[in-house]
Amino acid sequence: RTGDGTRDAWPAAVVDAVVAGGPDTYQKRQSHRLQVRALMARVAALGPRAVVDLGAGKALLSRCCYEAFGRKVRVVALDRRRITKHDALYDPPDLDPGDAPYERVVGDVSDFAACLEQEESGVVCVSKHLCGSATDAALAGVCRASAVDACVLAPCCHQKAKKR
């Protein structure tokens, strides 16, 4: 158990720091923070060389992974929606020359292998609340991407997976 009574969760400090410095969104709620911490603990246990957040949206999970690994692990925040100047995002505002790459990529969760061309292995895909059939599409993409060693997914609870 951690100090706040939760089990199997990343310590709160990283998530709290990212949320405190980020935009005012629904993701600041404690329930979202706990979900991010639980996912991060599982990602950390896998020791990734790169993390791809499938359906990153505002990229809270992406940014938390980036900061938790001390900006030494490449992170790709993949989402199909193009970002505008009005979007409230958790992407890091600054990168130092020694930092691993942090990239926001516009693309489909089912076909993201192109953004992994420089990785041969050690990629962990993560996702929190992919809606509709996007979880199914993400799993199909994971199965096609040879560099992906593992995935840590928390699907949206508002639909049922399609069997194919």
Side-chain angles (χ1 to χ4, degrees), residues 10-109:
W10 191 266
V14 170
V15 178
D16 290 346
V18 169
V19 168
D24 188 18
T25 71
Y26 66 91
Q27 292 184 347
K28 286 190 170 191
R29 289 188 295 205
Q30 192 60 33
S31 61
H32 286 276
R33 292 181 193 203
L34 183 56
Q35 291 167 355
V36 168
R37 290 174 50 213
L39 291 167
M40 287 172 53
R42 278 138 186 90
V43 171
L46 296 166
R49 290 183 24 206
V51 174
V52 179
D53 187 355
L54 302 171
K58 297 181 184 306
L60 175 60
L61 180 56
S62 307
R63 174 75 183 283
C64 287
C65 286
Y66 193 61
E67 301 301 343
F69 290 116
R71 295 185 172 203
K72 300 299 179 202
V73 170
R74 177 181 177 219
V75 171
V76 177
L78 177 83
D79 201 270
R80 70 179 182 176
R81 194 170 63 85
R82 296 203 183 278
I83 302 304
T84 71
K85 65 181 180 178
H86 303 291
D87 287 316
L89 305 173
Y90 288 96
D91 294 334
D94 59 337
L95 297 176
D96 292 327
D99 292 344
Y102 179 100
E103 305 159 70
R104 180 167 280 280
V105 174
V106 175
D108 192 293
V109 296

Side-chain angles (χ1 to χ4, degrees), residues 109-121:
V109 296
S110 67
D111 187 23
F112 60 89
C115 69
L116 299 177
E117 289 175 349
Q118 64 194 38
E119 306 294 338
E120 292 181 19
S121 65

